[in-house]
Amino acid sequence: MNKDLGCIFLSHASADKQLVEQVYGKLDSSSTFYDIKTVSPGESFIDAMKAGIKGKNIFVLFHSRHTEGSWVEYEKNLAEINHASDKSRLLVVPVGDESYRTLPSWMQGYMTCPGDFTPSDIARQILHLQNSLIIKNSNVVTTLVGREALLRSIHLKSANSFQKTGIPLQHIVLAGLAGMGRTSVAKSVLQTSLKNMRRAGPIFDLPDMADAVDFYLAMRQDMFGAASKLDIEKQIAFFQSLEPEKQAAAVLELCKHWSGNNQAILVKTKFGLLDRDRGIKVWLKHFFNLSESFPALRIIYVSERRLPDDSAIEFKNVGQFRVDELNDEDIQYILSELVEARYYDAGRAEQLSQKIHGHPATAHYVSELVNSGRTIDSLNENSDPINAFQERIIGAILSSETVTQNQRKIVVLLSIFPKLSFGIIARVLDLPRRELAAELWDLQEASLITAADAEYYSLPRIIASRARKELADEGEILFKEVKNIINSDIESGKLDSQLIDALLIASADSAGSIPENLSGLVTASSLLSIVNDRFYSAREAKKGAKEIYISAYNLSRLALNIKASDNAVEQILFTGGDSAIRSGILPEDIIKYMTNAALPSVYYLKGSYAFYVEKDDKEAAKNLKLSLGMKHFKLRNIRLLARALIRTQDFHGALDVLNKLTDAQLERETGLIIQKIRALRGMRNYREADTLEKKIVGRNDEFGEVHLYSAGKALRENKYDDALILLKKAEACGKMNRFSHDLLKCAVLLEKGDTSLFPLMVETANSVNRKFDAYQLQARNAVVQGNWRSAEEILKKIEKKDYFDLQLSLRMLRQKMDDVLIKTDPLEMSRCQAEMDEISRLSVTSPEGYRGA
């Protein structure tokens, strides 16, 4: 940061140090001058003020009875201060019983905080002034285009609401996909439709499926600071025992603080506004109704889900708006504003805008690439960076010298825990506040981390996923450090409610048990976070995945006795049940609970267990059809149901299921197109299959399925070098299935005489209950070595053979028939020939890889 621009000077009497330290702890210490501006009663503040406003900075005076002295000094220097402050910002913070009225008349005109501002409120006000000063006095480009009509719509509804309904528009819901600029739109609404409100209201970044208790804990901590573990346990237990209307009243009581200060509240939660049936949560309905009695209240919600229109229309004080993708012209305009003029090519930008698909976050990212040296031409020719976005390059960034050693540790920490505070990170890394702030600033600028309210930090999921793969070996010591620090805080009587998820992740043992003394801290959202953490860790683990899946399952069972909304419980139990199935366990208790509670995803779990564990494709199809008939999880059901039907060689049925999707839905997922190709080939409709295959050739997909499919085809045609090239391309795709990739790569390497991956992949396949895949690799290795006897014994263990199994059987039989002992045995030769004829017959309708289709 430019130290001559936006520095913060905190001027206060030493007697007020306790309050000022609380505020300082929430600021960016790299740009804040604090201790050197502490003065004693009776000293001249004028010198401190003149130094503070020299240049373009923020001068904050904590005004209390301890700072009152001879104001004549200020009067004498008024002209100089006014001149210096033209490019600066002055803020007065009353302390105790003081107010702006006890300031000299000339000073009362400067921005003053209300007397009931909390330390969090004061810090936000200072940061707001700092940010506005930086934007005003620098060349920072703020680009929000294509939202004019949306902002007008919000403004008109806000302006006309009271006249039309007698009730102001108090709750504004902004829905849409991540990266579409919903938060930017929210901030624009604050500056336009809510411009008469005081700036710098709170921003609450809540869990994905936040319940009322999450709203309550976050708001309470913002107002009163961190509480002890015991206090939070009591708050959670008591709050969850309340009826929804009383929960709403408790949250509203906290909201009155900001409405009383004429500040809007911004809340971010992906799915926290809706219940399992995608209706508005009961407590939130009460909250909407109760808030009518406090017309000054304004809340903006950033959500990935839109409220159902038939329910939202019941509330006159609620308005919802969708933040959609931008058109190509708007994307071009963003590029023209953000790309440096010397790199910008209007003609090429027009072509490039079509590849961005109306996603403003991608446009910003592409602009960074171009400004840093990538040409627009190269991005048009190779759009992998656009399609994969950050994950396309994150591995290279984390493994190079682009980030410092401390930054690598920060990324490792945040890949383990969903959220950590500045203070926790500082204590783990043992870094001075200013040095850590600089490291975090660099990481934010590189879009490698995100900050919530300048105090809590997290990683975008795409980066966390890649970091867990790239840097997993570096996390064990850091993990223990976080656990020790949080436990130390608990013992000293403090627990940050926003870090409960981190505490539970640190405290859960390898089997998935939570210590008894922490069980009172478990909420639905924190439990979902930890179960999801274990689930994704298992998916990305190179070894020991089964044990991690089992721990996720054991943790999810806590939800069987937790009081929470159905949708949160269903998500927890579904993830836990899925984890159990992936480890080869039937989650009977979860299935029984979900059946009794009529939670529709139970049919998917039953079908998944039949498919993956019992290898009973007909039973799987029966349950998946029930699930699909209930119209829940349509895409997921179709995806697995089509695979089950292909495995039973019911190609007509698979095609009928896939045809339930629109062309647009089908073409968005390369994997679904590949399934349709397999179904068509099974029906011997080669012409249509070939047409579809041409559609996906050269297509960039973040799951790498085109490259994996093509690599499998190259393996079938014995083009091993081509297969390795295609597998290398698949590795560059952000969300590639690592197991499928490694399995195929191991098979190709075995054909080339390379057994380096062989032991690991056999162990991995067995650990995730894919024993037939392990057998196939073992049989392939035996065939490559010419050991037909071992290959024959291994292939007998594969109960249902896919295309590759059948081809290995053919190769094994050819080797067997070349053996001199078999050649001289006419009866055995006849048996071998009969087997070969049967394999040839089965191969006609067995598409490659149908076991993993």
Side-chain angles (χ1 to χ4, degrees):
M1 175 183 287
N2 181 355
K3 295 297 186 294
D4 294 324
L5 176 61
C7 285
I8 301 166
F9 292 80
L10 304 181
S11 179
H12 65 286
S14 56
D16 301 321
K17 191 178 183 71
Q18 183 177 0
L19 168 64
V20 181
E21 281 187 338
Q22 293 180 59
V23 174
Y24 175 72
K26 298 176 182 296
L27 300 175
D28 177 2
S29 57
S30 66
S31 62
T32 304
F33 291 82
Y34 162 49
D35 289 324
I36 62 172
K37 291 302 166 191
T38 302
V39 293
S40 301
E43 286 190 49
S44 171
F45 281 82
I46 198 66
D47 292 335
M49 181 176 287
K50 285 160 67 175
I53 61 177
K54 183 179 181 181
K56 304 167 184 177
N57 299 309
I58 314 297
F59 181 85
V60 183
L61 170 64
F62 288 83
H63 168 51
S64 74
R65 61 186 179 85
H66 303 293
T67 59
E68 292 175 13
S70 174
W71 290 104
V72 177
E73 186 79 17
Y74 287 96
E75 300 284 0
K76 289 180 180 178
N77 292 274
L78 175 59
E80 183 178 354
I81 292 173
N82 282 339
H83 174 73
S85 64
D86 285 345
K87 296 178 181 179
S88 301
R89 295 287 188 275
L90 271 70
L91 176 69
V92 179
V93 180
V95 181
D97 296 330
E98 301 299 327
S99 72
Y100 74 94
R101 293 184 178 87
T102 57
L103 290 168
S105 58
W106 65 268
M107 210 172 187
Q108 292 179 11
Y110 290 110
M111 182 174 291
T112 309
C113 289
D116 60 351
F117 258 31
T118 66
S120 294
D121 295 328
I122 296 167
R124 276 192 293 269
Q125 188 66 63
I126 295 170
L127 291 170
H128 170 71
L129 289 176
Q130 182 188 43
N131 187 56
S132 62
L133 187 66
I134 291 173
I135 291 174
K136 179 182 177 182
N137 292 290
S138 69
N139 295 320
V140 174
V141 177
T142 54
T143 303
L144 183 69
V145 299
R147 305 302 184 199
E148 294 82 4
L150 174 62
L151 290 171
R152 279 197 300 272
S153 176
I154 296 172
H155 183 72
L156 288 174
K157 185 157 186 175
S158 181
N160 300 334
S161 177
F162 188 81
Q163 291 180 343
K164 290 184 176 181
T165 67
I167 298 173
L169 184 63
Q170 297 179 286
H171 304 274
I172 298 174
V173 179
L174 298 176
L177 295 174
M180 286 299 174
R182 294 163 299 163
T183 303
S184 297
V185 170
K187 291 178 179 177
S188 291
V189 170
L190 293 173
Q191 295 171 4
T192 55
S193 302
L194 305 179
K195 61 185 177 183
N196 293 325
M197 300 193 77
R198 184 186 291 270
R199 299 279 79 86
I203 299 174
F204 296 109
D205 194 353
L206 300 181
D208 289 356
M209 302 186 71
D211 269 335
V213 67
D214 301 296
F215 281 71
Y216 175 77
L217 288 175
M219 291 178 177
R220 182 177 177 82
Q221 177 166 304
D222 189 273
M223 286 184 61
F224 304 114
S228 69
K229 167 182 168 288
L230 181 61
D231 283 343
I232 293 179
E233 285 180 333
K234 289 179 179 179
Q235 289 166 14
I236 291 174
F238 180 73
F239 191 89
Q240 291 183 331
S241 71
L242 298 175
E243 294 300 316
E245 185 172 6
K246 290 186 177 180
Q247 290 182 342
V251 174
L252 181 60
E253 193 63 34
L254 293 170
C255 291
K256 290 180 190 177
H257 169 74
W258 294 288
S259 66
N261 286 324
N262 196 32
Q263 287 185 310
I265 301 167
L266 176 58
V267 174
K268 300 179 184 179
T269 175
K270 286 188 176 181
F271 316 118
L273 308 182
L274 304 177
D275 60 19
R276 176 172 61 86
D277 297 318
R278 296 189 181 178
I280 302 174
K281 286 183 175 177
V282 176
W283 83 268
L284 192 60
K285 290 182 179 181
H286 288 298
F287 184 66
F288 290 157
N289 284 326
L290 292 173
S291 62
E292 289 184 13
S293 301
F294 301 90
L297 178 66
R298 297 290 184 277
I299 303 181
I300 301 177
Y301 307 83
V302 173
S303 170
E304 287 195 5
R305 292 283 173 86
R306 181 181 174 85
L307 300 180
D309 290 328
D310 56 345
S311 298
I313 201 170
E314 298 175 14
F315 304 99
K316 297 177 182 179
N317 60 346
V318 176
Q320 62 173 334
F321 307 87
R322 190 171 61 194
V323 184
D324 286 321
E325 65 273 13
L326 301 176
N327 61 43
D328 287 347
E329 285 187 358
D330 290 330
I331 294 294
Q332 289 175 56
Y333 183 82
I334 291 175
L335 292 174
S336 70
E337 286 289 294
L338 296 178
V339 174
E340 294 181 25
R342 55 183 171 154
Y343 300 136
Y344 187 71
D345 182 326
R348 299 295 187 188
E350 182 177 359
Q351 180 185 355
L352 185 62
S353 68
Q354 296 171 5
K355 300 178 185 295
I356 292 174
H357 303 303
H359 195 249
T362 304
H364 282 252
Y365 178 62
V366 167
S367 300
E368 291 175 7
L369 289 179
V370 174
N371 290 337
S372 63
R374 293 294 295 266
T375 66
I376 293 181
D377 244 353
S378 70
L379 288 169
N380 276 323
E381 291 171 8
N382 175 20
S383 56
D384 277 351
I386 298 173
N387 294 299
F389 198 10
Q390 290 178 329
E391 192 165 358
R392 175 69 176 83
I393 62 168
I394 193 62
I397 290 177
L398 294 177
S399 60
S400 72
E401 295 181 0
T402 306
V403 294
T404 67
Q405 189 60 35
N406 282 327
Q407 288 171 346
R408 282 171 65 86
K409 290 180 179 179
I410 292 168
V411 171
V412 171
L413 279 171
L414 296 177
S415 72
I416 299 171
F417 300 101
K419 184 195 300 183
L420 286 177
S421 67
F422 184 102
I424 292 286
I425 298 171
R427 289 158 70 186
V428 171
L429 302 186
D430 192 24
L431 285 179
R433 291 184 62 89
R434 184 166 298 177
E435 186 178 339
L436 176 58
E439 299 280 28
L440 291 167
W441 180 278
D442 287 343
L443 287 172
Q444 288 180 77
E445 283 197 325
S447 299
L448 292 175
I449 66 171
T450 56
D453 208 14
E455 186 175 356
Y456 298 97
Y457 296 87
S458 61
L459 287 186
R461 287 183 181 179
I462 194 170
I463 298 172
S465 173
R466 192 64 183 236
R468 280 194 285 262
K469 296 173 187 175
E470 298 286 338
L471 309 174
D473 295 339
E474 302 177 27
E476 187 174 346
I477 295 176
L478 297 173
F479 180 90
K480 291 178 180 177
E481 283 289 326
V482 172
K483 180 176 180 178
N484 291 338
I485 287 171
I486 295 178
N487 285 332
S488 173
D489 285 349
I490 291 175
E491 290 174 7
S492 66
K494 289 184 178 180
L495 174 60
D496 187 336
S497 69
Q498 299 302 292
L499 298 181
I500 289 176
D501 291 1
L503 169 62
L504 295 178
I505 289 171
S507 301
D509 62 26
S510 58
S513 299
I514 297 289
E516 182 64 30
N517 70 319
L518 299 180
S519 59
L521 295 174
V522 178
T523 66
S525 60
S526 62
L527 185 56
L528 181 60
S529 291
I530 187 172
V531 171
N532 279 338
D533 174 81
R534 290 292 171 93
F535 177 80
Y536 289 114
S537 294
R539 278 181 50 177
E540 294 154 9
K542 294 180 180 178
K543 296 181 70 175
K546 183 174 181 179
E547 289 73 18
I548 305 174
Y549 276 128
I550 291 173
S551 72
Y553 165 52
N554 289 335
L555 283 165
S556 72
R557 296 161 72 188
L558 294 174
L560 297 172
N561 300 306
I562 199 170
K563 185 175 181 180
S565 58
D566 282 349
N567 65 321
V569 170
E570 183 173 25
Q571 284 292 328
I572 296 166
L573 294 180
F574 177 81
T575 304
D578 192 16
S579 298
I581 290 165
R582 288 170 186 258
S583 62
I585 298 172
L586 175 64
E588 294 184 78
D589 47 359
I590 285 179
I591 287 175
K592 180 179 179 181
Y593 180 97
M594 295 178 79
T595 300
N596 292 338
L599 301 178
S601 59
V602 68
Y603 292 110
Y604 184 88
L605 286 181
K606 290 180 178 179
S608 179
Y609 183 78
F611 182 88
Y612 289 111
V613 181
E614 296 181 323
K615 311 298 181 185
D616 188 340
D617 303 319
K618 290 183 179 179
E619 180 67 17
K622 182 183 78 173
N623 280 290
L624 292 167
K625 285 176 182 176
L626 282 173
S627 186
L628 186 61
M630 298 181 73
K631 300 180 180 179
H632 286 269
F633 318 111
K634 179 180 177 182
L635 189 60
R636 186 174 64 200
N637 273 291
I638 287 176
R639 194 183 293 120
L640 188 57
L641 178 54
R643 292 174 67 186
L645 293 171
I646 289 173
R647 281 169 54 153
T648 62
Q649 299 187 21
D650 181 1
F651 303 116
H652 286 280
L655 194 60
D656 287 343
V657 169
L658 290 167
N659 284 338
K660 292 181 183 295
L661 299 174
T662 65
D663 289 343
Q665 288 175 313
L666 184 74
E667 293 190 10
R668 273 200 296 267
E669 263 196 55
T670 311
L672 291 171
I673 299 176
I674 291 172
Q675 287 199 55
K676 190 168 184 178
I677 291 170
R678 287 175 170 153
L680 290 167
R681 290 199 184 284
M683 295 166 59
R684 303 188 183 184
N685 186 345
Y686 299 118
R687 178 178 297 178
E688 192 175 342
D690 289 341
T691 301
L692 268 182
E693 191 165 327
K694 288 175 184 176
K695 261 188 172 183
I696 64 172
V697 171
R699 176 172 174 173
N700 293 301
D701 74 291
E702 60 183 339
F703 294 94
E705 288 171 314
V706 174
H707 300 312
L708 291 177
Y709 175 77
S710 301
K713 188 176 179 181
L715 173 62
R716 183 183 67 189
E717 296 170 355
N718 303 326
K719 298 177 180 178
Y720 305 129
D721 289 336
D722 290 348
L724 289 176
I725 291 171
L726 289 162
L727 287 167
K728 187 69 176 176
K729 290 181 178 179
E731 283 184 34
C733 300
K735 298 182 180 178
M736 176 201 68
N737 185 308
R738 173 58 61 179
F739 178 78
S740 297
H741 170 274
D742 291 351
L743 197 68
L744 194 51
K745 184 176 180 179
C746 183
V748 174
L749 291 176
L750 287 174
E751 294 292 348
K752 291 173 67 67
D754 182 347
T755 59
S756 57
L757 280 181
F758 181 50
L760 174 62
M761 286 313 301
V762 170
E763 180 187 355
T764 303
N766 283 321
S767 73
V768 295
N769 205 41
R770 297 281 291 268
K771 62 180 180 180
F772 293 152
D773 290 312
Y775 291 152
Q776 186 189 104
L777 289 177
Q778 292 171 310
R780 187 179 297 278
N781 187 51
V783 167
V784 170
Q785 293 178 2
N787 188 349
W788 66 264
R789 287 184 174 84
S790 292
E792 184 176 43
E793 288 303 313
I794 295 167
L795 287 166
K796 285 178 182 177
K797 298 177 182 179
I798 302 178
E799 298 167 6
K800 186 182 291 185
K801 294 180 173 60
D802 73 2
Y803 180 87
F804 288 114
D805 299 326
L806 294 172
Q807 297 314 298
L808 282 174
S809 297
L810 277 177
R811 290 168 64 185
M812 178 273 295
L813 286 168
R814 292 191 187 105
Q815 290 179 358
K816 182 176 181 179
M817 294 171 76
D818 280 341
D819 189 301
V820 65
L821 292 176
I822 304 300
K823 275 184 178 181
T824 57
D825 186 339
L827 179 60
E828 192 62 33
M829 287 291 285
S830 174
R831 288 173 180 166
C832 288
Q833 188 59 55
E835 283 186 52
M836 291 183 74
D837 292 343
E838 176 65 9
I839 288 172
S840 297
R841 184 187 68 79
L842 291 173
S843 296
V844 172
T845 56
S846 177
E848 64 274 13
Y850 79 82
R851 183 170 62 237

